[in-house]
Amino acid sequence: MLLCFAGCARQPAEQGSVPASNKYATGFQIAETDSGTVVEVFQPYQKLCVREPMRRFGTMSTVQVGFLYAIDAIDCLVAVCNPELIYTPVKGDETDLGDSMKPSAERVLQSGLDILLAVNYGQYDNLEAARLEKLGVPVIYINEWQEGSPLARAEWIRVLGALTGKLHEADSVFHEVETKYINLSQSVNQSYNRQSKIMSGNNFRGTWYVPSGKNYLSYLFKDAGAEYPFYDDMRETSIPLTIEETIHYFHDADVWVGAGGSSLAELASMDEKHTWFKAYQNGRVYNWRKQTKAGGANNFWERGVVHPEEMLEDVIHILNNAPDSTLHFAEHLY
């Protein structure tokens, strides 16, 4: 699919040329040509030539709101799905497109979008985006979730930068994030000798799903210096464990992150098996809900994706039993 957005002159030449390639992300590439800035997304394949900055965005995911906010382009957001799930400060007058699983085609068309930022978590999402494309709505997939490492996910800010004419601002944000992340990881390697064992996930209908070695959480655990038994498991999806297997691997874990409850008592009421682990018994259990709003919005999925250095800092602080006040997204359960 080739979408060419004709119009005014390109960005001033003094801003410099576009970097030749990404450092971490593999799901897209950006190039500067005589015709404009070309953005290619690989799954599903799309190619866009951006000749002028886009000014009217719709979004199907809150992650994309975080990217726009980080490059000071939030005023370009005119239509959103599930506004109650947005944590980032927005104008508040955006058109409500309805549920992200089935956006209102009528509202999308009425919004006069330059482009709709979509996701393709599965076949259903692809069909919805294809339906809107047939109606003449330009769509691009922002698939940061398909990347493995936290820095690769964060690097998708470059796509939003290219679409808004703020690629150099996006690169500046990402460079700062990358520098802080690498410095944190290196400080762990230099400063901490004892590895704490970490566990993640919850018991869901008899199965405990934990991150594989290709999941961004595994990267965070490793970069924070944690012991985790599945670093070498490179499957694409989460790893399903029986409760017996979970006990075998994690009964002696020092900390538990990403728990589903809001308190230790709630975890126990959800499933008594949650209380069987050392981390629970020692009160070292955390969720990712410190920055949330009543409607279900959670900044972990917005700022957290853009700023993995803050997520890494959380894991480091958790492993070293730092004060709760030092945490960005993680909340200590009591």
Side-chain angles (χ1 to χ4, degrees), residues 46-64:
Q46 296 172 294
K47 184 175 182 179
L48 291 79
C49 182
V50 184
R51 295 180 178 174
E52 64 176 8
M54 298 181 188
R55 291 290 178 255
R56 295 182 64 82
F57 284 76
T59 177
M60 295 173 66
S61 167
T62 60
V63 172
Q64 301 151 5

Side-chain angles (χ1 to χ4, degrees), residues 242-252 273 276-277:
T242 65
I243 186 60
E244 291 80 12
E245 290 172 324
T246 307
I247 293 170
H248 169 74
Y249 287 112
F250 296 113
H251 70 280
D252 59 345
K273 299 181 184 68
W276 296 357
F277 298 91

Side-chain angles (χ1 to χ4, degrees), residues 98-138:
D99 190 273
S100 60
M101 296 295 291
K102 193 174 179 64
S104 166
E106 180 180 3
R107 294 178 190 175
V108 171
L109 291 172
Q110 290 175 347
S111 298
L113 301 179
D114 290 334
I115 198 157
L116 177 65
L117 307 175
V119 291
N120 66 321
Y121 294 126
Q123 183 178 8
Y124 187 83
D125 300 293
N126 295 344
L127 292 173
E128 283 303 304
R131 176 176 68 94
L132 295 171
E133 285 180 320
K134 288 180 180 179
L135 296 175
V137 179

Side-chain angles (χ1 to χ4, degrees), residues 69-89:
Y69 185 79
I71 58 174
D72 196 25
I74 199 66
D75 286 346
C76 296
L77 187 64
V78 299
V80 298
C81 291
N82 301 110
E84 73 280 0
L85 297 181
I86 295 175
Y87 187 95
T88 300

Side-chain angles (χ1 to χ4, degrees), residues 176-241:
E176 183 176 354
V177 166
E178 177 195 28
T179 300
K180 290 179 178 178
Y181 189 101
I182 291 173
N183 287 342
L184 275 171
S185 180
Q186 290 177 344
S187 72
V188 168
N189 293 333
Q190 295 168 1
S191 303
Y192 299 108
N193 296 319
R194 186 184 70 83
Q195 285 191 332
S196 295
K197 190 171 184 178
I198 197 167
M199 64 182 288
S200 182
N202 298 273
N203 184 17
F204 180 71
R205 297 179 180 176
T207 302
W208 199 292
Y209 293 93
V210 301
S212 75
K214 296 189 74 171
N215 185 280
Y216 71 97
L217 287 172
S218 287
Y219 282 85
L220 288 173
F221 299 163
K222 180 178 290 187
D223 291 335
E227 177 187 344
Y228 181 69
F230 294 104
Y231 286 139
D232 295 329
D233 190 317
M234 292 290 106
R235 71 185 77 183
E236 298 288 341
T237 59
S238 296
I239 301 169
L241 301 177

